[in-house]
Structures are given as structure tokens and as C-alpha cells.
Amino acid sequence: MDELQSIAERTGSVPLAESGALGQARARLMAEIAAAEAENVVPLRKRRRWVWTGAGAAGLAAAITAVVALAPVEQVGLEPPAAAADPVTVLRNAAAAALKSPAIPPRPDQFLYTKTKDPEGERESWFSADGTRDGVIKMADGSLLPLPGCRDGKAQVYKGGEPLKGRTEPCEPTVRDRRDLPTGADAMFAYLNAHHSGEDGDYNAMGKDIQELASGYYLSPATRAALFEAAAKVPRLRVMETAHDAAGRPGVGITWPLKPSDGPDAEPIVIVLAAGTFQFLGTNSTAVTASGVVDAVGQRP
């Protein structure tokens, strides 16, 4: 079998890429070749490198196949995986994936069900969509933590899981249906800065806020996309090309920057996105393994 026939057979079943995709892929390929020639040490991170065997047609065929195979990725709205080392690209891919997620908004009388896993075990939670109905969290040890609804500005007081008769406290409903949040990246970033849990400039705390919104609230597809687009505006983000959530599922990690005042033992939050689909999985400390909308406490989607 001659070299041209080998190339034809390897590329014949692959659709041709757009010229833009070819140009980007070619640039990445040439950068990899230059890097391979310049480096004589083992790279710190595993990267996909092309292996050239002299004038080998196998290397040439592999290169051509790699270039034309990029087109299907861009056709579904995601950027090429080779750009995964760029946190902005990763988060924009997460936003594109969020826009494709189904919109199933809850009714006010329904509950948001979430199942999570962390080092202590698994938890299940039922949060009232409008914050007025009684929810519950089933802890890892099987005990139940009441989530009293807020009605007419009052919530039932509990002690040891039992309601105290006639005892209430002032409250405001915690609304879990947040379709009211911004659907644009700039507006969402402004919202996150105005409603942050940490001090000004604490982007690691903002990462925790983003994780909480992504896992504990209902967001429309456009709002969820804006959340990841806003996250891309955070400076000094880093990518962990191989990360695992608390359930052990592999993915791509986004690490938030710590403050200069944080001590040597401080650990940044790592939000984990599924490799390939860029769907939100959770963090390195808490994984979201199931979620949905149900009619009553105790039901599962």
C-alpha cells in the first residue's frame, strides 16, 4: 500500500473542516512541532503530542486526520479540545453546553431535589422552590435536617429535629427558582460582585458562590450560561486538565485564585466540568450526582 492510498483511507470517512478550523488546527500543530524540537525534558503535564518518524507517511496521515477531525467539534458550538488549557475557553464551552440543557422550571409548590456526595457520604435535599414550604435534608447518617418554610414572615423553630410548639422566628423565603437572575455575562458578573459571600476581591469565595448557584438553585439555560461566562471574567484562573469531583468522576478543573493574605494551608475551590461535554459535575469536595424537580419531599426524579 503506497503512502497516498494510506492517507486517503484514513481521511476518506472524515468530513472536511471549514477553512477557519484548518487554520487554527494547523497553527496548533506547528506550535507542538516547535515545542517538541525545543524541549529535552519530560513535560510537567501530559499533553497530546504528534509522533513523527522521519519522512514517515504514518505521521503525515495522522496529522491530516487530526486537522480535518476538528470540524464536528465546532459544528456543535464547542471550541476544539486542544484549547482546554485556556480557562476562558473551558468556561465558554461550559456556557455553550448550558444553553443546550433542557428548561424545566419548577412550579412554586414544587421542590428542587439534589443528591450530593462528599468525603462524609451522600446527602439528599428537597428545597422549596418558592421558599414557603417545609423542605428537608437527609444527612449521610440517615438523620433528617428540617428546612422550615417561611410563611407570612415567620418560620417554625426546631430543636434537635423536633419543632418547638408555638415557637417561630422572623424570616425571608429562600427562593430556589432563580429565573430572575441576569442572562448576560456582564450583568451576571456585576451581580456576583454585589452579592458575594467573601470580602471584595476574594475570587475564591466567588467560586464558591458560583458552585452554590450551579448546584443548589434552578437556573434557566440562559442564566446558567451567563454564570459560566461571568466566571470567565475572573482573573488568574487556572485549568487542571485532569481533575476529579468528590464522586471520583474525571473532568476538567477550574481553580480559583486565593487572596495574598491566605495562609500556606489554604486550598482553592476546584469546579469540575465533565470532559467532552463540559457539563457541571460539582467540585473536588462536593459532587452533584443527581438533581431534578419533584412534587413532594421524599420523591426523586
Side-chain angles (χ1 to χ4, degrees):
M1 181 181 295
D2 61 28
E3 296 176 356
L4 291 177
Q5 183 180 354
S6 174
I7 294 172
E9 289 184 355
R10 298 196 58 175
T11 61
S13 61
V14 183
L16 293 176
E18 299 292 335
S19 59
L22 289 170
Q24 295 172 10
R26 188 179 298 109
R28 285 196 300 273
L29 180 61
M30 297 308 295
E32 292 287 355
I33 295 170
E37 293 175 349
E39 294 180 0
N40 292 311
V41 296
V42 177
L44 293 178
R45 294 180 298 179
K46 291 183 179 179
R47 291 183 179 272
R48 184 174 299 171
R49 297 193 180 278
W50 308 117
V51 179
W52 298 87
T53 55
L60 178 60
I64 296 175
T65 301
V67 171
V68 298
L70 289 173
V73 176
E74 298 198 0
Q75 287 171 358
V76 298
L78 301 180
E79 297 186 39
D86 175 16
V88 173
T89 299
V90 171
L91 288 166
R92 286 178 177 170
N93 282 343
L99 283 174
K100 295 178 174 62
S101 62
I104 310 176
R107 300 191 310 267
D109 62 333
Q110 290 184 306
F111 295 82
L112 269 67
Y113 169 83
T114 306
K115 186 177 183 180
T116 60
K117 185 174 184 179
D118 60 29
E120 296 181 1
E122 290 185 334
R123 289 183 174 85
E124 292 181 287
S125 60
W126 289 264
F127 291 103
S128 171
D130 68 357
T132 67
R133 290 157 179 82
D134 296 339
V136 71
I137 297 176
K138 184 178 181 181
M139 307 299 287
D141 61 3
S143 62
L144 300 179
L145 175 65
L147 300 172
C150 181
R151 294 178 289 275
D152 299 324
K154 299 177 182 179
Q156 175 67 51
V157 175
Y158 284 79
K159 183 177 181 180
E162 295 296 327
L164 297 179
K165 187 176 181 178
R167 292 281 303 276
T168 61
E169 59 185 354
C171 64
E172 292 185 4
T174 301
V175 179
R176 294 281 168 168
D177 180 2
R178 295 310 309 268
R179 283 175 286 171
D180 60 312
L181 292 181
T183 57
D186 291 339
M188 178 61 80
F189 191 67
Y191 172 85
L192 291 170
N193 276 298
H195 299 84
H196 54 76
S197 59
E199 60 188 56
D200 290 344
D202 187 347
Y203 290 115
N204 193 50
M206 180 182 286
K208 295 177 182 178
D209 296 338
I210 290 171
Q211 180 267 337
E212 174 66 16
L213 282 171
S215 61
Y217 292 80
Y218 175 80
L219 306 177
S220 70
T223 294
R224 183 172 289 270
L227 186 66
F228 293 123
E229 288 277 8
K233 296 179 176 293
V234 173
R236 305 191 314 279
L237 293 175
R238 293 189 301 110
V239 169
M240 295 177 62
E241 294 185 22
T242 301
H244 293 83
D245 68 6
R249 296 174 297 184
V252 180
I254 298 292
T255 300
W256 259 250
L258 296 171
K259 304 190 306 297
S261 59
D262 287 329
D265 296 329
E267 295 185 359
I269 184 173
V270 179
I271 287 181
V272 183
L273 305 167
T277 66
F278 296 96
Q279 292 181 332
F280 175 78
L281 297 179
T283 71
N284 56 334
S285 58
T286 304
V288 180
T289 58
S291 62
V293 175
V294 296
D295 292 331
V297 169
Q299 289 184 348
R300 295 173 178 84

